[in-house]
Structures are given as structure tokens and as C-alpha cells.
Amino acid sequence: MCGIIGYIGHKEVLPVLMNGLRRMEYRGYDSSGVAVFNNGSFSVTKSTGKLAVLRERLEGQDMPGCTGLGHTRWATHGEPNELNAHPHTNRSGKIVIIHNGIIENYQSLKTELISKDYQFVSDTDSEVLAHLIEEFYEGDIEQAVRLALTQVKGTYGLVVACADESDKLIAARMGSPLIIGLGEGENLIASDLAAIIDHTRNVIFLDDGELAVVTNDNVTNTRLDHQIVNNKVEQIFFNIEEIEKDQFPYFMLKEIFGQPESVHDSMRGRLMVDEGTAKLGGLHNFEDELKEAKRFIIIACGTSWHSGMIGEYLLEDLAGIPVEVEYASEFRYRNPIIEPGTITLSISQSGETIDTLAAMRESKDRGAIALGICNSVGSTIARETDGGVYLHAGPEIGVASTKAFTSQVTVLTLLALKMGRQIGRITKERGQILAEEMMKLPEKIRSLIDRSDEIKRLAEKLVDCTNALYLSRGINFPVALEGALKLKEISYIHAEGYPAAEMKHGPIALIDENMPVIFIAVNGHTYEKVISNIEEVKARKGNIIAVVNEGDEIIHRYAHHVVEIPRTDTYLTPILSVIPLQLLAYHIAVLRGCDVDQPRNLAKAVTVE
């Protein structure tokens, strides 16, 4: 989760580090710090809180140098404070490290090091690495890091610098992403592409178990056993404008408003309207396996899990294939049964979610064909799956996912359409109707975001609530879960999503005149059932907010507030019904004075367990 950046080259390093940390602050904002090498030693400055605090502390300081490390932290071991902030150093201050991940055996390593008179100043697991590397250091920092990591159990994205060998940085990866950016007379190391985009478009993605020696003009990459790795240099293509807020006050609002384009880009070149089907190039080599698949297991976490649940409805209805949706964090610790004909589909915006990655690897080990859906080109899941589909939604910076969700659902719809046509469950005529409706989605999304002020007025009426209930049925039930998640993530209001029929099995006890109950009540075969559930809430004086199809006159009789969405094919309604829920959460959070891009205790990419 933490943001890591290292630089060695010809530029003044401090501005490079601070700009890189600014680009990555969504990865962690509990504390931050920098280390700059100059005149034979490192100057280290750290602070608690967001990056602005560190920036203020650095004002007026003279920290020249062309080599350095920077870190922004999401706390795991040890509370957020200056002692626990990175970078960490050894006793002499000559070895400096920054780390993302968890050292699982740090307690035993720490006990052993203390017995050898090493002194610890933090409560972190990461500080162990600085002292352990010192224990093995005999004038060769590369070898010291290599030997130290043979003693470590856990995950790491690690960058190490040594004052006695200031012409190099050492990078190592196990379970936490690291990228090397290749420049002219300069090289960078980072945990996120956004940190290096200002300096280079040429990158190397490190794989697990690899260690790189990085100088200003060279990168040598090996495995821990000294085996040389011939890395492929890849180019990154997204524009700097995509990771700037432009005129928007928050990235989240920019990303909500960008969904007409992101949904369009997820379909572009893939939707074949005349044939009533879709083509997905990343799955081209698996046509036979998809046609003969006996079962799908969708693996995901958080918002991606919600999109996977919608995928379950789509694939079972349109393609007639049994689907299970698994929390990746649970799947990896079970003894899952993988039978012949099983395909796993891992969904992750970042492509680095540690639980999803581990579950995907587990499924491959058990013989499944492992496919993936992710947004980040070059990410670990994208590289390790057998095949898959990129979202092409563009970088998503806001911690609360919005455009990635609608793009994931779009791609899942394309997959279900393709498979349904391939298997023969969907006729060409039915496929054409669905494809034509998909083409209309961007404009319909635009009509919803144009009504943001209407949603804001509703938010003003709900800003003081302490709880909320989200209810729906069928394919929009996962949208209820997603709406509740968005509200709790960024406004800190407790919210839960349920299938509407399950309300009677517990949640109905919570309903009174102070409880907002948000229904997604769009047309479909469960519409009348949802109306019955609305009546049950009305009888108990609940404050009913309903998302309905435009022109709906029935639910107006029951609901206190109604938000209409354009009519579309039932299978596509989640892509539209979630938009007002995203806007509602956003406006409530802003009215409550919350930082919607950096909600407390959360970070964008969950790369630790």
C-alpha cells in the first residue's frame, strides 16, 4: 500500500522525490519521509500526517543531492508517528531503507538482533531490514541485501541505499510491486507508474524474487540465487493529464464525471453491434476453453467483488454457466475444489491486490485456467494470468473506486454477451439489441452526471444521518452493496447493503423515521417484489429514497425522494443505477467535511494482507 520512490541521476533529487510522493499519496498518508545523500551521508526528514506536513517541514532546508529515497506510509505495524515513518536507518545512519509489505518473522529477527546489541527506535517490522542488512554488510551492499532477504519471511517492495556505495540503489520485490524507470543518465524506482511518468516512459516491472542493482546509467537484475534475469523494457502510454485533478476539487468527482468516456473506452473496438456479439483480444487463445467451460469462479475484493457478483448474474443468465463469486482473502485459505473445465476470473483495478493475486496463483496451481480483468497495464495480475482483458478506464486515483467499477461491469457484460452468442444461448437478434443498448450507455451516464446538483440537494437532507440501508434484488443487489460501501468509505456513515427480501430477517428492526433506506427499484422480473419491500419500510416510517426508471409513477406514491435513471436493457441497469449512488456518497462526504480522495485508514492499492 505504501508509496515508494528512489532516484539516482543528475537532477536535484528532493523535487523528484516530493513530486513522486505527491503522485502516490493515495497509497498511504499516515506519514511520509525522504532521505537525500550528500557529502558522504544521508539527511533524513520525516513527518506524521499527509504529505503537506512534510513539505512544510522541508521548506527552507538545504538538502542538495542527486540520490535519494522517499516514502509515504499506510501503517501496518506501529501507529502513525515520526519514529515509525520511513525511511529507516541502521545504527550508523549509513544504510537507509524504504519498505512496502509485511515482514512476518520480524519479532524473531528483532529478538536475535537485540541480543547482538542492535537498538531499535520504531515499532515497525520494516526497521528490522535496516539492521539485518547491516549485520551482513562487509563492503558489498548488494550481497548484504541478498543475504538478509534469505532470512526474511513475508512480503516486500524494498529499496536500499548505502552511504559507502552511493553510486547505486538496491531494489527487491516479493509480493509488493516495484517498477524501475529508465531515463537518460538517471533511473528511478517506484511502487507506482504515476511517480515516474514525468521522467520516463520506459519501465521494467520487477517480478517476485528479483533483486536489481540500479545506477544512474545501468540496471542489473537477478534472482536472489544470482540467476540473471533478462527483463523486458515496456512503454507506458497514459498522459500526465489523466493523473491531475484539472478543474475538479477531488479526483473522485473527476472520475465519476469521466465515466461516459471510461465506459466507452472499455467497449471500444470490442462491441460488434451488427453481429450482436463482442470480441476480446486477450481471450483469443481461449476460445475453445470458454466454449467448453463447466464453471467460473470469480475472485476479487471490495468493489471488484461487487462487480464480480453482477458478473455472476450476467454469465449465468446470458451464457448459462455456473458461477461462484469468492472473496479472494477467503479463497486462498480454503481448500477450493478445482475440477476440469473450471475457469477462474480474477478482477482487480490495480492488478496488484495481494489477496486476489495469491488466490489467482492458488487456482493456477490447482489446474484452473486463470483469466483476469484489470485496469493497470503491466501489473502483476496482468502478467501472471493466462489471459485477460484490460479495462482501458485510465488511471483511477480516488481511493473509492467509481469508474473502475462501471468499466468492470461493462467488460463482464461483453464477456457474457460473447459467450452467450458463442454457446448459442443468445440469438443474433437478441445480441444486437443488447449491443445497441450498450452503445447508448455513455450518453445515458452523461445525462445522470449532469444532474449532480439534484443529487447534492438530496445529500443535504441526509448529511446528518448516522446509518443507512441499501436494498435491491436481482442484478441490482450488488449495486446496493456498492452504494453502501461508497457511503461508509468516504463519509464514515455506517451503511449496509442487503437483498431486499432479507430485510425481514434482521435489518427491519433498525427502521424508523431516522433511517434512510435507499432502494434500487428498476424494471425487471423482481420489480413488484421490491415494491412490496418498499411498502414494508413505509409502514415503519422509514425515510425511503428510490432509484427508479424514468417515467415510473408507482414508486412515487411510496418514496420520499425519487431519482430517475434512463431506461435500458435490464442487464445494463447496474451501470446506470450506481451513478446516483456514487454522487450521493460524494456529496454527503463533502458536506460533512471529509477528504473523499483520502479517507481515513484506507489506501488505494491493498498490497498487504
Side-chain angles (χ1 to χ4, degrees):
M1 296 240 238
C2 306
I4 283 175
I5 184 165
Y7 176 87
I8 185 166
H10 52 83
K11 295 174 183 171
E12 284 294 323
V13 71
L14 188 58
V16 176
L17 298 179
M18 292 303 292
N19 187 56
L21 293 180
R22 176 179 69 87
R23 301 273 195 212
M24 293 188 294
E25 193 173 11
Y26 62 86
R27 295 183 67 94
Y29 30 89
D30 293 331
S31 60
S32 56
V34 294
V36 173
F37 179 78
N38 186 49
N39 291 328
S41 64
F42 287 99
S43 297
V44 178
T45 304
K46 304 193 283 189
S47 69
T48 305
K50 295 187 178 182
L51 192 61
V53 182
L54 178 64
R55 187 177 295 110
E56 184 176 324
R57 180 162 294 185
L58 288 168
E59 285 183 6
Q61 288 196 36
D62 185 23
M63 292 181 70
C66 298
T67 300
L69 309 177
H71 189 274
T72 181
R73 181 175 185 240
W74 185 85
T76 54
H77 296 69
E79 66 182 51
N81 59 37
E82 285 189 25
L83 290 177
N84 291 331
H86 296 222
H88 291 292
T89 66
N90 71 326
R91 292 176 293 187
S92 67
K94 287 193 172 185
I95 295 174
V96 181
I97 69 104
I98 50 177
H99 170 235
N100 177 25
I102 293 177
I103 306 305
E104 295 172 2
N105 62 333
Y106 87 99
Q107 286 284 15
S108 60
L109 291 171
K110 184 174 182 178
T111 299
E112 182 180 350
L113 289 165
I114 289 173
S115 72
K116 297 179 179 180
D117 296 326
Y118 286 87
Q119 296 179 345
F120 286 76
V121 299
S122 79
D123 299 317
T124 69
D125 57 325
S126 302
E127 189 185 356
V128 164
L129 293 168
H131 298 305
L132 189 62
I133 292 167
E134 179 187 352
E135 175 70 7
F136 287 102
Y137 185 64
E138 296 180 351
D140 185 341
I141 190 62
E142 175 190 352
Q143 181 67 358
V145 173
R146 197 181 298 275
L147 292 172
L149 291 180
T150 64
Q151 308 298 307
V152 166
K153 297 178 182 177
T155 59
Y156 49 82
L158 175 68
V159 184
V160 182
C162 179
D164 291 338
E165 299 179 65
S166 60
D167 61 339
K168 67 186 69 169
L169 299 175
I170 310 298
R173 170 191 166 143
M174 180 63 72
S176 292
L178 275 186
I179 304 153
I180 299 175
L182 307 175
E184 295 291 333
E186 61 181 1
N187 287 312
L188 301 96
I189 306 165
S191 54
D192 198 304
L193 288 171
I196 62 177
I197 187 71
D198 290 305
H199 305 279
T200 183
R201 301 277 175 163
N202 299 316
V203 300
I204 295 171
F205 295 96
L206 290 189
D207 285 327
D208 282 353
E210 293 183 359
L211 181 148
V213 179
V214 181
T215 67
N216 67 326
D217 59 3
N218 189 53
V219 175
T220 303
N221 193 9
T222 61
R223 299 195 64 79
L224 288 182
D225 62 2
H226 294 275
Q227 179 182 349
I228 295 174
V229 176
N230 294 315
N231 288 105
K232 178 183 177 183
V233 178
E234 300 188 37
Q235 283 194 308
I236 50 179
F237 295 102
F238 68 77
N239 296 320
I240 292 177
E241 290 75 16
E242 293 183 271
I243 52 175
E244 297 289 356
K245 282 189 284 193
D246 299 330
Q247 78 275 18
F248 292 93
Y250 291 99
F251 279 110
M252 183 180 180
L253 188 63
K254 177 185 177 182
E255 288 154 8
I256 292 172
F257 273 57
Q259 287 174 110
E261 290 75 27
S262 57
V263 167
H264 174 266
D265 289 345
S266 296
M267 295 187 292
R268 185 172 56 187
R270 295 167 167 170
L271 193 59
M272 304 167 70
V273 178
D274 291 342
E275 289 80 12
T277 188
K279 60 178 180 180
L280 299 168
L283 304 181
H284 178 71
N285 293 331
F286 299 93
E287 296 289 344
D288 292 339
E289 289 84 352
L290 288 170
K291 190 173 183 178
E292 296 170 6
K294 298 293 188 293
R295 180 174 65 138
F296 262 74
I297 300 175
I298 296 177
I299 303 167
C301 302
T303 286
S304 296
W305 186 78
H306 297 157
S307 67
M309 290 186 70
I310 295 171
E312 179 179 20
Y313 285 95
L314 291 165
L315 286 165
E316 289 190 342
D317 272 13
L318 296 176
I321 295 174
V323 179
E324 299 169 28
V325 184
E326 296 271 4
Y327 281 116
S329 56
E330 292 298 313
F331 180 88
R332 63 181 294 198
Y333 290 114
R334 288 195 4 248
N335 186 21
I337 298 171
I338 304 292
E339 300 167 324
T342 298
I343 293 177
T344 60
L345 183 61
S346 300
I347 306 176
S348 168
Q349 189 281 137
S350 67
E352 301 291 352
T353 308
I354 188 68
D355 286 318
T356 306
L357 178 58
M360 181 271 293
R361 288 169 173 165
E362 176 73 15
S363 75
K364 288 183 71 173
D365 289 344
R366 290 173 179 263
I369 295 171
L371 304 180
I373 295 175
C374 64
N375 193 36
S376 298
V377 176
S379 61
T380 306
I381 288 176
R383 299 199 311 275
E384 292 194 14
T385 47
D386 297 315
V389 184
Y390 281 121
L391 299 180
H392 298 308
E396 187 177 68
I397 307 300
V399 167
S401 182
T402 52
K403 67 177 181 176
F405 174 78
T406 48
S407 290
Q408 286 168 353
V409 176
T410 300
V411 167
L412 286 163
T413 307
L414 292 173
L415 176 61
L417 173 60
K418 168 187 169 59
M419 293 184 65
R421 288 281 288 116
Q422 186 179 32
I423 293 168
R425 190 177 174 94
I426 301 175
T427 65
K428 179 179 179 180
E429 292 72 24
R430 176 69 181 98
Q432 288 172 329
I433 291 170
L434 185 58
E436 288 168 358
E437 284 299 315
M438 290 188 75
M439 290 296 292
K440 299 174 184 176
L441 284 172
E443 193 56 40
K444 291 180 178 180
I445 294 171
R446 187 169 287 107
S447 73
L448 285 168
I449 59 178
D450 285 345
R451 291 159 54 197
S452 178
D453 288 344
E454 173 190 334
I455 305 297
K456 182 179 179 182
R457 289 191 292 273
L458 174 58
E460 290 168 350
K461 299 176 181 178
L462 303 178
V463 67
D464 294 323
C465 69
T466 55
N467 297 281
L469 195 59
Y470 288 71
L471 301 172
S472 192
R473 301 182 78 142
I475 199 169
N476 278 285
F477 156 54
V479 177
L481 296 176
E482 177 63 11
L485 177 61
K486 288 286 99 56
L487 187 67
K488 74 179 81 171
E489 277 183 311
I490 62 172
S491 74
Y492 318 137
I493 294 171
H494 175 252
E496 297 296 336
Y498 276 89
E502 289 297 303
M503 174 185 62
K504 296 186 289 295
H505 298 278
I508 198 168
L510 300 173
I511 293 172
D512 60 19
E513 63 274 11
N514 297 314
M515 171 69 84
V517 184
I518 297 93
F519 281 93
I520 300 100
V522 295
N523 285 18
H525 67 278
T526 60
Y527 177 73
E528 287 78 12
K529 300 289 186 183
V530 174
I531 291 176
S532 296
N533 300 135
I534 291 174
E535 290 189 271
E536 291 166 347
V537 172
K538 185 175 179 65
R540 290 158 180 83
K541 303 186 187 307
N543 181 11
I544 300 169
I545 298 99
V547 177
V548 303
N549 289 120
E550 59 189 0
D552 186 303
E553 296 180 358
I554 298 174
I555 294 177
H556 277 273
R557 305 171 195 166
Y558 305 104
H560 298 87
H561 309 282
V562 171
V563 179
E564 294 188 353
I565 65 171
R567 290 183 178 272
T568 188
D569 192 287
T570 300
Y571 292 113
L572 306 180
T573 53
I575 297 171
L576 299 180
S577 64
V578 76
I579 305 296
L581 304 186
Q582 294 172 347
L583 287 167
L584 183 64
Y586 169 82
H587 286 302
I588 289 175
V590 171
L591 289 167
R592 289 167 66 92
C594 303
D595 185 340
V596 299
D597 281 343
Q598 297 177 358
R600 67 188 182 205
N601 303 331
L602 296 176
K604 184 67 177 172
V606 183
T607 59
V608 296
E609 286 194 71

